[in-house]
Amino acid sequence: MDPPLNEIYNTLLYNQITNTEQNVPDTPMSFSVTAVVEEVELPVIDVSRLIDGAEKDREKCKEDIARASREWGFFQVINHGMSMDVLEKMRQEQVRVFREPFGKKSKSEKFSAGSYRWGTPSATCLRQLSWSEAFHVPMTDISDNKDLTILSSIMEKFASESEALAYLLAEVLAEKSGRKSNYFKENCVRNTCYLRMNRYPPCPKPSEVYGLMPHTDSDFLTILYQDQVGGLQLIKDDKWIAVKPNPRALIINIGDLFQAWSNGMYKSVEHRVMTNPTVERFSTAYFLCPSYDSVIECCSSDYPTYRNFSFREFRQQVQEDVKKLGFKVGLPRFLNPLY
């Protein structure tokens, strides 16, 4: 069932010990596995107020969403309109597909070639590894799938409901930053948005290996449905905090593109997943992304923090940095040289 993580990680652990004198590029300080100060519950927002509330309630809800995006970059939503039946069936089907033998998963014809991923093949040292496996599934793979299985049916429902919630939240954030709220429906298309089903197997060395290494998301926003195992951590006030799971809530986080588009008003926050020595963890995420040729332009014409760039250019730069350095640099590559 599990991918050959032990073999690969043991080899890299040995290389990490014997090659300490070699010139290995520095990684960000946040990659150091440090003690977490506390477990916290993220801001919880009842988004049903956007639909059913009086005007005062709707405005309060919008401000709550914008404030959490400014101050945390992460928040939770309840009464979000996504069916709990769909969420539970999504989890059941996800567990089932990950239970298949590694050889079958790695050559799965359920999705397009390259959808199944595990570990970090490009890693050159232990701190660049991720002890996990995932199916990275473009939305077009889901909507165009003619193989009407239980998995494909549930994924289509999950994707459609996630998409609707993402548009709703993105439009609120656009409005509160003074931008046009129709930008996302015009620019975020199904062939670049995607789902990612994650599994984090038990790890024999949880103090040395991440489930998912520290990173920010390369999208506008992410919707995460996770189990109750825990392991998600994020940076708040220059320290790592652990996110307390909430069975009623979905987690929302701001991506790099929203930070740039809002001229830094909303925060794309670094986060990571820690491993567990005895228990596996599952999650499914939806990523709201624009078309590759869409230009990300700061909302400030007077003092833009970032230069204009296309989503294609951003992705290419991230891929180059990961290949060369072993980690993503992200938005600092796109700072406006004039300010």
Side-chain angles (χ1 to χ4, degrees):
M1 180 180 75
D2 287 346
L5 291 163
N6 278 294
E7 293 88 333
I8 299 300
Y9 280 126
N10 282 340
T11 300
L12 286 178
L13 177 59
Y14 172 76
N15 287 340
Q16 176 74 358
I17 294 172
T18 58
N19 293 337
T20 53
E21 300 303 318
Q22 293 184 7
N23 182 25
V24 177
D26 290 334
T27 55
M29 187 175 297
S30 60
F31 274 53
S32 301
V33 180
T34 56
V36 176
V37 175
E38 60 182 331
E39 182 181 61
V40 302
E41 185 169 35
L42 297 174
V44 179
I45 299 173
D46 181 350
V47 293
S48 68
R49 292 179 294 164
L50 291 175
I51 307 298
D52 303 324
E55 182 177 355
K56 185 177 180 179
D57 290 334
R58 290 198 301 271
E59 289 306 313
K60 178 64 166 57
C61 185
K62 291 177 182 180
E63 181 52 43
D64 289 345
I65 291 169
R67 182 185 302 108
S69 300
R70 293 192 304 266
E71 298 177 0
W72 287 79
F74 271 77
F75 57 96
Q76 300 176 100
V77 293
I78 58 173
N79 297 323
H80 39 66
M82 292 186 66
S83 163
M84 293 307 297
D85 181 62
V86 168
L87 294 176
E88 182 54 37
K89 287 180 179 177
M90 182 70 214
R91 174 59 36 77
Q92 293 171 2
E93 288 303 304
Q94 178 183 7
V95 170
R96 186 183 61 79
V97 74
F98 278 119
R99 289 280 184 266
E100 293 179 347
F102 172 68
K104 184 177 181 180
K105 284 185 293 191
S106 60
K107 299 175 182 177
S108 176
E109 297 181 354
K110 291 183 175 70
F111 312 111
S112 56
S115 292
Y116 177 71
R117 305 170 184 186
W118 60 277
T120 312
S122 61
T124 58
C125 64
L126 197 63
R127 59 192 169 180
Q128 295 172 0
L129 293 170
S130 291
W131 191 273
S132 57
E133 58 178 333
F135 282 96
H136 180 110
V137 187
M139 292 282 279
T140 47
D141 273 21
I142 301 170
S143 56
D144 295 345
N145 192 338
K146 305 305 180 186
D147 183 14
L148 297 178
T149 64
I150 296 176
L151 175 62
S152 66
S153 175
I154 290 299
M155 287 187 73
E156 172 60 32
K157 291 178 182 177
F158 181 94
S160 296
E161 293 183 7
S162 297
E163 183 178 59
L165 177 60
Y167 283 145
L168 176 65
L169 296 172
E171 288 167 3
V172 167
L173 291 169
E175 177 187 328
K176 300 305 289 185
S177 65
R179 304 295 295 272
K180 291 182 178 180
S181 61
N182 60 350
Y183 173 90
F184 300 97
K185 287 186 177 178
E186 292 177 356
N187 290 276
C188 295
V189 293
R190 279 207 154 197
N191 65 335
T192 48
C193 298
Y194 62 96
L195 294 185
R196 184 179 173 98
M197 298 187 294
N198 304 297
R199 174 179 176 260
Y200 302 92
C203 178
K205 297 182 178 179
S207 65
E208 299 178 49
V209 180
Y210 292 115
L212 195 59
M213 55 196 256
H215 67 287
T216 55
D217 288 352
S218 300
D219 62 352
F220 272 108
L221 61 79
T222 305
I223 297 174
L224 178 72
Y225 173 53
Q226 63 169 354
D227 60 21
Q228 300 306 296
V229 172
L232 175 64
Q233 299 178 354
L234 59 92
I235 288 182
K236 180 76 165 72
D237 300 327
D238 298 320
K239 61 177 180 280
W240 285 104
I241 60 173
V243 175
K244 183 178 181 180
N246 181 335
R248 299 171 56 226
L250 298 172
I251 292 178
I252 313 297
N253 68 275
I254 300 299
D256 297 335
L257 304 186
F258 231 136
Q259 176 167 320
W261 196 71
S262 68
N263 202 37
M265 177 184 294
Y266 305 131
K267 307 302 182 186
S268 179
V269 173
E270 198 165 18
H271 52 286
R272 66 188 184 185
V273 176
M274 306 304 289
T275 51
N276 188 297
T278 58
V279 182
E280 62 185 345
R281 176 181 184 267
F282 292 93
S283 68
T284 302
Y286 166 87
F287 297 85
L288 180 67
C289 302
S291 64
Y292 291 124
D293 294 327
S294 292
V295 175
I296 310 304
E297 183 176 358
C298 276
C299 62
S300 171
S301 58
D302 295 328
Y303 300 101
T305 302
Y306 305 98
R307 65 174 179 83
N308 294 352
F309 58 89
S310 70
F311 184 43
R312 187 187 309 278
E313 181 185 5
F314 188 80
R315 279 173 49 89
Q316 289 174 344
Q317 184 64 62
V318 168
Q319 291 166 357
E320 289 175 12
D321 285 335
V322 170
K323 184 176 180 180
K324 181 179 179 180
L325 304 175
F327 58 90
K328 168 186 169 181
V329 177
L331 283 178
R333 294 287 196 200
F334 297 88
L335 289 170
N336 188 338
L338 300 179
Y339 299 101

